[in-house]
Amino acid sequence: MLQKAAPSPRPAPVEGTRRAEPKIAILGAGMSGLCMGIQLKKAGFAHFALYEKADRVGGTWRDNIYPGVACDVPSHLYSFSFARNPDWSEAYSGGAEIQAYCERVTEEFGLAPYIQYGKQAIEANYRNGQWHIGFADGSRETADVLVSALGGLHHPSIPDFPGRDSFRGESFHSAQWRSDVSLKGKRIGVIGSAASAVQIVPEIAPDARALTVYQRTANWIFPRENFRYSRLSRWLFRRLPVLTLMKRVLLYLRAEVLLFPAFQEKSRAQEKFRKLALEHMEELVPNEALRRKLTPAYPVGCKRILFIDNYYESLQLPQVTLETDPIARITPEGIETQSGRKQALDVIVYATGFKPFDFLEAFSVRGAGGKNLAQHWKERVESHRTVAVAGFPNFYMLLGPNSGLGHNSVIVMIEAQVRYIVGCLQAMRASGLRWLVPKPEEEKAFNRSVRAGFRGSVWAGSCQSWYKKSNGENHTLWPWSTIRYRREMAKPNLNEYQSDRNQSWREAAE
Ligand code: NAP
């Protein structure tokens, strides 16, 4: 049982409004889409639907089934504040347990009737004051409000190495795991050494005949110190729900107060975390040459910090090699590196990450006047308050630009965004407005301040990651604390928006 599972509220009558209730389309039923649906329901919005491309909820936790898949954010924090779970079995839950949590939340909050499966949105066009949505199955829907809950990390990025398609063995991406391919006794190459790779390697290394990890850049690694909750502690969490709240608050504050300050490049916290990571490595990796390979040459946090147990140990198994010579090509037999070393392989695992914001390649969004969002973002990815975009009326995004985190739970961000968007919809309902769209000058001012927020931070330097566009601009992370984000997003300020009260939707296109 989830704690505080609110009974499904009946939609509140929308008395006093000057128009019918808005019809709201939510694209995606991962954690952000589910949160949006639940809070809309709670706020008495009855006319909404979640359109999900797959046949189950869960998003990233449904798709990622690689061995060792888990969340490196503590379970009591990586869950909804309104659906705390006393039964987490481990401090850091595995993917299957989080997936089960998503499914349970869907049931307990009565969301199932609102979800339509097999609905992959391929286009959304704003015409005559409504969103017209087209799906891959040929069906179409209209909605007054469109909420993209598509997530940023599900379009696999597989580098185009020369000869990639010539490989005669099996190869697949970490997020498209082939459970039908047995890895036991095989010669395996894992390309990549970041968040997904460090979870996979300790799981598959012991049974591999040979495993080579191809590392392009070293990462800062900290122990996760995972543990199982005893039956007694779970019983206590169940009997005394305040304990799950206290646990959550402590975990949240630990990340905000202890870890976040390290993102200032010249800070004592940065020094402290650097020292901690090096000590951790020294303790577990006696070989100095290996330590040199594993030591990053950039500040802690510039790339995503990794929290993992057993990775360093697995790299030192006799059958495991850490290869830092860059990959030159893929051959029919395996991988050849630039110095000419050839490794014969049976399986290649691409733990090479995702293409954030590439969702717009498969999903075309056109706002007022036909403005194309992908084009609009070509030079610079900008949003208003991370959730809306000037020129795109009644369009909202969850986990959109500059709302990612490197130190705390993204669920905190999702909940703040959902509260803000529901606030916009409530304000529209209360004043009988048809649409809202950010004022371009407000959006510009917001983005100027976000860019300024990166000054002096670890992200301002030259290290590259999916956090940044190739021009070096960071369009994925929120540069400040989540405390600040929650404060800024507590209530929408309608002065930052235009609406049909003072404009026609055609003018909103300008
Ligand atoms: P990632 O962080 O983008 O890492 C990709 C890895 O592949 C890096 O080591 C990268 O090296 C390497 N790589 C990419 N292109 C390459 C090329 N052409 N040649 C050689 N190496 C190449 O991807 P990820 O590990 O899948 O993680 C993505 C994100 O998913 C994470 O940052 C996180 O937000 C999320 N995630 C979260 C968890 C969790 O526990 N919460 C777990 C897994 C993933 P470089 O560093 O040199 O680019």
Side-chain angles (χ1 to χ4, degrees), residues 135-431:
F135 297 92
D137 64 1
S139 59
R140 304 196 68 81
E141 292 286 350
T142 54
D144 301 301
V145 177
L146 180 66
V147 181
S148 160
L150 294 169
L153 297 174
H154 60 106
H155 287 276
S157 165
I158 302 186
D160 199 8
F161 295 116
R164 191 184 69 187
D165 297 332
S166 69
F167 181 58
R168 279 202 290 262
E170 301 284 2
S171 62
F172 46 87
H173 188 270
S174 57
Q176 295 165 336
W177 197 262
R178 289 272 307 275
S179 307
D180 58 322
V181 176
S182 164
L183 298 180
K184 208 171 171 163
K186 299 278 173 62
R187 298 163 304 175
I188 308 161
V190 174
I191 305 180
S193 57
S196 299
V198 299
Q199 295 187 340
I200 294 168
V201 168
E203 292 297 311
I204 64 173
D207 289 336
R209 183 163 127 212
L211 190 151
T212 308
V213 179
Y214 292 87
Q215 173 192 285
R216 185 166 66 176
T217 315
N219 288 286
W220 288 105
I221 295 181
F222 294 84
R224 195 171 55 165
E225 293 173 340
N226 194 18
F227 60 87
R228 289 192 75 76
Y229 283 112
S230 66
R231 280 171 62 167
L232 175 65
S233 47
R234 280 186 279 147
W235 180 81
L236 283 170
F237 280 140
R238 230 173 290 128
R239 294 300 297 257
L240 299 168
V242 70
L243 291 180
T244 54
L245 179 62
M246 283 165 61
K247 177 99 191 161
R248 186 179 177 92
V249 171
L250 288 175
L251 291 166
Y252 174 75
L253 290 177
R254 186 179 71 169
E256 287 303 298
V257 177
L258 296 182
L259 182 51
F260 182 72
F263 293 155
Q264 277 308 304
E265 187 163 2
K266 292 188 177 29
S267 64
R268 299 240 307 263
Q270 168 69 213
E271 265 320 296
K272 189 181 107 192
F273 276 93
R274 195 182 166 88
K275 194 160 164 272
L276 277 174
L278 292 174
E279 283 169 3
H280 173 58
M281 195 193 308
E282 212 151 295
E283 191 184 327
L284 296 180
V285 184
N287 182 313
E288 203 188 323
L290 182 56
R291 278 209 308 272
R292 263 202 304 276
K293 283 186 180 179
L294 289 167
T295 304
Y298 54 84
V300 176
C302 178
K303 281 171 177 288
R304 197 172 193 277
I305 295 172
L306 307 181
F307 293 92
I308 188 73
D309 303 323
N310 304 327
Y311 178 65
Y312 284 149
E313 290 89 331
S314 61
L315 287 182
Q316 294 166 87
L317 292 172
Q319 68 275 33
V320 178
T321 308
L322 180 69
E323 180 60 84
T324 52
D325 191 22
I327 295 172
R329 65 187 57 81
I330 300 204
T331 65
E333 293 76 32
I335 293 179
E336 186 178 333
T337 58
Q338 280 178 10
S339 64
R341 262 199 300 278
K342 290 181 184 155
Q343 187 64 51
L345 299 168
D346 303 307
V347 180
I348 297 175
V349 174
Y350 289 95
T352 42
F354 301 87
K355 299 189 255 184
F357 298 106
D358 274 26
F359 71 89
L360 290 175
E361 272 179 20
F363 171 50
S364 142
V365 181
R366 286 182 181 275
K371 191 188 255 185
N372 179 295
L373 187 56
Q375 284 296 326
H376 184 60
W377 277 354
K378 211 165 183 122
E379 294 301 316
R380 194 166 243 178
V381 179
E382 292 195 322
S383 68
H384 187 54
R385 303 220 166 268
T386 75
V387 294
V389 188
F392 294 78
N394 285 357
F395 172 63
Y396 298 99
M397 296 165 293
L398 295 169
L399 292 184
N402 293 107
S403 63
L405 293 179
H407 71 289
N408 210 328
S409 172
V410 286
I411 307 293
V412 169
M413 303 301 269
I414 292 172
E415 288 194 23
Q417 295 183 325
V418 166
R419 198 176 311 122
Y420 181 94
I421 297 167
V422 171
C424 289
L425 300 178
Q426 283 172 321
M428 280 171 62
R429 182 166 70 184
S431 339

